Amino acid sequence: VTLLLFARRRPIGLLSALGGSSLAIYLFHGFAFYAADFIQRSAHLVLNRGSHYGMSLACGLVLPLVGERLLRLSAVGRRLFLGER
């Protein structure tokens, strides 16, 4: 399956978007994952392990992307959190 991804000539938009934001995902996924975990457990929303883990995983991927976009709006956010000028 991995070879099929690399054998393809056209770039895959989703993978390039995730690759461009990989630093933000790496830095912030823990906060988003555990925040989603805490919210689900405290609100008693855990129906089964699969849906609980899937929701936490989705939040761990999506929320860092949203956070990165918000931090890029501010010069201070870019400098302090993303290490950019």
Side-chain angles (χ1 to χ4, degrees):
V1 174
T2 305
L3 291 175
L4 292 176
L5 289 175
F6 291 115
R8 209 173 148 179
R9 297 280 183 221
R10 293 180 289 164
I12 301 171
L14 178 64
L15 290 179
S16 62
L18 285 176
S21 298
S22 61
L23 178 65
I25 293 172
Y26 174 73
L27 291 176
F28 304 128
H29 80 278
F31 298 116
F33 182 87
Y34 290 114
D37 178 54
F38 177 76
I39 291 169
Q40 289 180 46
R41 288 181 191 270
S42 64
H44 304 291
L45 297 174
V46 178
L47 302 175
N48 59 31
R49 286 185 186 173
S51 66
H52 173 69
Y53 184 72
M55 183 61 93
S56 297
L57 183 63
C59 287
L61 283 175
V62 172
L63 292 179
L65 296 175
V66 172
E68 179 188 23
R69 300 234 187 243
L70 292 175
L71 287 172
R72 285 189 189 275
L73 297 176
S74 160
V76 175
R78 277 194 312 269
R79 181 64 132 176
L80 290 178
F81 294 105
L82 300 176
E84 298 175 354
R85 291 183 181 222

